[in-house]
Amino acid sequence: MGGEELSAREIILPVSKLEAVIVEGDGHSDRLLLKRNKRVDELIPDYLASMTKSLGAKQCVTRDDIQDLLLPDSEYLAVEIYRLNYGEIFDFRYRCSGCNKTIPGDFPLKQLPFMELALEFQGNIDPTVTVTLPRSGLSVVVGMLNGHKEELITNQAAQSGLDLNQADYQSLRSIDGKTEFSFEEVIRLKLRDHKAIRKARNRLLTGYDTTIIACCGICETKTSINMLLHKDFLLPEG
């Protein structure tokens, strides 16, 4: 009992092109998501690391290794780990926004849309966009977020609510050649400049689109669900 060999699979992460070897999890992996006084989102890197046997040349993958990945890579890793553990159907339950009833749903993962990185950025393991801000005239370099930066944004949102300035700040690699700049400098940018930063970020979109649409079988109301944030993605109830 419990001595079966774990299934394993090799995958290629879409941005870094790192080869990752992922392995089937067990109850120890679930335990990592249930630590007291911790939000589940804070524990996801540990959970993913527990089922990542290697990442490129790295053999003992840690939480920090997962956090170092750009978000499209870590989200791809999460989806492929789900596939390895649970198969090609995402089963879930949700509360319908129309009739307020709890509804079962399922989604075939082969239908999950995948957006390729724009051709101009392909082949770059850390793609960035350089743009001149229309209001201030400043030249900024915009990049993708990694897990560390996403965690800062999520923690700030949990404490004081969502602030789009934080996402803009974390995405900036430099302002007029300066790699050291303050959050206040970014907040002081005019709204047209913030819009330009967000448009630049949108040019870097790639990876799985994990937003799925569930249609209620009772009232036919359609509900948008982010699969990665749904409790049944990490801890399926069966």
Side-chain angles (χ1 to χ4, degrees):
M1 290 291 290
E4 299 90 347
E5 186 176 346
L6 297 177
S7 297
R9 183 179 300 164
E10 293 180 1
I11 61 173
I12 303 296
L13 302 183
V15 181
S16 66
K17 300 304 179 184
L18 284 172
E19 181 183 282
V21 177
I22 56 176
V23 293
E24 192 178 7
D26 56 21
H28 293 289
S29 299
D30 276 356
R31 276 185 175 180
L32 292 171
L33 296 170
L34 298 171
K35 291 182 179 178
R36 291 183 179 180
N37 304 317
K38 290 282 189 178
R39 300 191 314 270
V40 171
D41 61 271
E42 296 177 286
L43 300 168
I44 291 174
D46 303 280
Y47 176 77
L48 297 180
S50 76
M51 289 176 281
T52 305
K53 185 176 181 180
S54 64
L55 199 54
K58 187 73 183 287
Q59 295 298 314
C60 297
V61 178
T62 66
R63 171 191 178 87
D64 277 345
D65 295 323
I66 300 297
Q67 293 286 72
D68 287 342
L69 293 173
L70 297 173
L71 286 187
D73 280 353
S74 59
E75 290 177 355
Y76 186 90
L77 182 68
V79 171
E80 296 307 312
I81 283 175
Y82 181 95
R83 276 189 155 119
L84 179 63
N85 281 292
Y86 300 112
E88 289 297 313
I89 301 295
F90 171 51
D91 296 301
F92 59 97
R93 297 177 69 82
Y94 73 102
R95 188 169 295 279
C96 174
S97 56
C99 64
N100 204 37
K101 295 188 181 299
T102 300
I103 307 295
D106 60 74
F107 185 85
L109 293 179
K110 65 181 180 181
Q111 294 181 15
L112 203 61
F114 184 87
M115 180 184 295
E116 296 286 352
L117 188 63
L119 281 174
E120 61 186 302
F121 305 118
Q122 289 183 15
N124 189 336
I125 63 172
D126 184 20
T128 58
V129 177
T130 300
V131 61
T132 299
L133 300 181
R135 187 69 174 80
S136 63
L138 295 169
S139 175
V140 299
V141 177
V142 180
M144 295 180 180
L145 300 179
N146 63 17
H148 298 289
K149 293 181 176 184
E150 178 73 1
E151 184 175 48
L152 288 171
I153 294 168
T154 303
N155 287 341
Q156 185 269 333
Q159 292 169 11
S160 54
L162 182 64
D163 184 354
L164 294 178
N165 292 296
Q166 186 66 242
D168 292 345
Y169 173 61
Q170 296 297 339
S171 72
L172 290 173
R173 303 294 178 81
S174 67
I175 299 178
D176 258 12
K178 296 190 307 178
T179 56
E180 298 291 332
F181 48 88
S182 70
F183 183 43
E184 288 302 318
E185 287 179 76
V186 175
I187 288 180
R188 286 197 297 268
L189 293 172
K190 300 299 185 286
L191 292 179
R192 282 177 62 195
D193 287 350
H194 283 280
K195 180 181 178 181
I197 292 169
R198 292 164 196 164
K199 285 184 70 174
R201 288 183 62 199
N202 285 338
R203 290 174 60 190
L204 295 170
L205 288 178
T206 186
Y208 282 125
D209 179 354
T210 57
T211 301
I212 62 177
I213 304 298
C215 184
C216 177
I218 299 173
C219 69
E220 299 186 349
T221 297
K222 293 181 178 179
T223 302
S224 177
I225 297 169
N226 186 331
M227 186 177 76
L228 294 184
L229 300 180
H230 195 284
K231 61 182 181 62
D232 289 334
F233 181 76
L234 295 169
L235 293 166
E237 293 182 357

